Amino acid sequence: MVLKLHGFPVSPCTARVEACLHEKTLDFEFVPVNILSLENKQPSFLAKNPFGQIPAFEDGDVTLFESRAITAYVAEKFKETGYDLIRHENLKEGALVKVWIEVESQQYHPAICPIVYEFFGKPVVGCKPDQTVIDASLEKLEKVLDVYETRLSSNKYLAGDFYSLADLHHFAYTFYFMKTPWSSLINDRPHVKAWWEDISARPASVKVAEGMNFGE
C-alpha cells in the first residue's frame, strides 16, 4: 500500500511529516496541494481534512491530518523501520520523548510560529508584518530558549542523549526562524546552537530543507 502525503513543500507542517518519513526510510507519494490557489478548500481535500489545512496523510484505509498526529502514527507503526524516533523499547526514554513533544507543541510552537508567519507569511499575501506581534513572541521565545539552554547543557538532545521525534518536531519552524533577523536568539545560546546545528544537519532534515524555499 502506497503512503501518500498531501501538502505544500514550503509548509513547516508538511516538512515535519516529510522529515519523519525520511527518518523512517519510507517510500511515499507526495501529492502537492497548492494552498495559494485554495486547493486545500476544495471538496476533494476537505474529504481528507474537514478543516482544510495541510498536510493530510493516507495509509490505505487510514486517513489522518494534524502533522504531529501523523508523525506519531508513522513512528509507532514503523517503529522497527529506519531510525527509532520514540524509543519504543525503553519506557523511561519513551516517556521523556513524549514530554518534550508536548513542550514543543505547548511552549515552543506558540512562541515561534507567529514570528515565522508575520515575517514570511504575511508578505506573500500582500500584508505588512505586525512588529508588535513579533516583539511579543520574541520575548516568549527567549524564555523558552533559556529553558532549552539549561536542558541541553546536560543532554545532547531534548529527551536525552538520543535524537527523537521531540527534536524532529522543532526542525521546520526553526529552519525558517534562522532566516529571520532574530536568529541570534539561537546562536547566542551555545548549547541550543549546537543542538540546532546537529538536528539540521541530519540527512532527513537536509533533504526536506531542499524544498523549504519560502520567502526566497
Side-chain angles (χ1 to χ4, degrees):
M1 196 68 67
V2 177
L3 304 176
K4 293 184 179 182
L5 174 62
H6 302 258
F8 197 44
V10 301
S11 155
C13 294
T14 299
R16 181 179 290 130
V17 177
E18 280 190 275
C20 180
L21 291 165
H22 288 309
E23 287 285 356
K24 302 305 292 181
T25 64
L26 296 169
D27 292 326
F28 64 97
E29 177 184 349
F30 186 87
V31 184
V33 180
N34 191 337
I35 61 175
L36 299 179
S37 61
L38 301 181
E39 286 183 4
N40 53 312
K41 303 301 183 182
Q42 300 305 309
S44 59
F45 186 81
L46 292 173
K48 300 175 181 62
N49 182 351
F51 296 102
Q53 297 174 323
I54 54 173
F57 178 79
E58 293 181 286
D59 177 16
D61 61 354
V62 175
T63 300
L64 303 173
F65 53 92
E66 295 295 343
S67 61
R68 294 175 185 82
I70 297 169
T71 60
Y73 171 85
V74 170
E76 177 62 32
K77 178 173 181 179
F78 301 101
K79 59 189 176 185
E80 303 293 347
T81 302
Y83 186 86
D84 179 11
L85 293 167
I86 55 175
R87 308 300 283 187
H88 69 277
E89 293 183 344
N90 187 306
L91 181 62
K92 178 181 176 181
E93 292 178 349
L96 287 169
V97 172
K98 290 185 175 74
V99 167
W100 286 95
I101 285 174
E102 287 297 313
V103 171
E104 184 277 331
S105 175
Q106 303 299 322
Q107 304 292 336
Y108 190 83
H109 181 78
I112 202 170
C113 180
I115 302 168
V116 172
Y117 173 69
E118 292 290 334
F119 189 78
F120 290 106
K122 276 194 171 180
V124 170
V125 294
C127 296
K128 183 179 179 180
D130 188 333
Q131 192 61 44
T132 302
V133 172
I134 292 174
D135 290 342
S137 297
L138 287 169
E139 184 176 348
K140 293 177 183 177
L141 184 60
E142 282 194 88
K143 294 177 181 178
V144 174
L145 289 174
D146 285 342
V147 174
Y148 278 42
E149 180 67 11
T150 299
R151 174 67 179 174
L152 292 166
S153 68
S154 57
N155 296 274
K156 186 175 182 180
Y157 301 101
L158 289 171
D161 289 327
F162 49 86
Y163 181 78
S164 75
L165 202 59
D167 305 290
L168 183 151
H169 280 185
H170 288 75
F171 168 70
Y173 272 96
T174 309
F175 176 83
Y176 281 125
F177 178 78
M178 295 303 288
K179 294 185 175 186
T180 74
W182 308 286
S183 59
S184 60
L185 267 67
I186 299 288
N187 290 329
D188 289 348
R189 291 168 171 81
H191 295 99
V192 175
K193 180 183 179 182
W195 166 76
W196 167 245
E197 289 176 347
D198 184 299
I199 69 172
S200 61
R202 293 181 67 83
S205 300
V206 172
K207 188 173 183 64
V208 173
E210 292 173 357
M212 298 176 69
N213 55 7
F214 203 36
E216 295 181 3

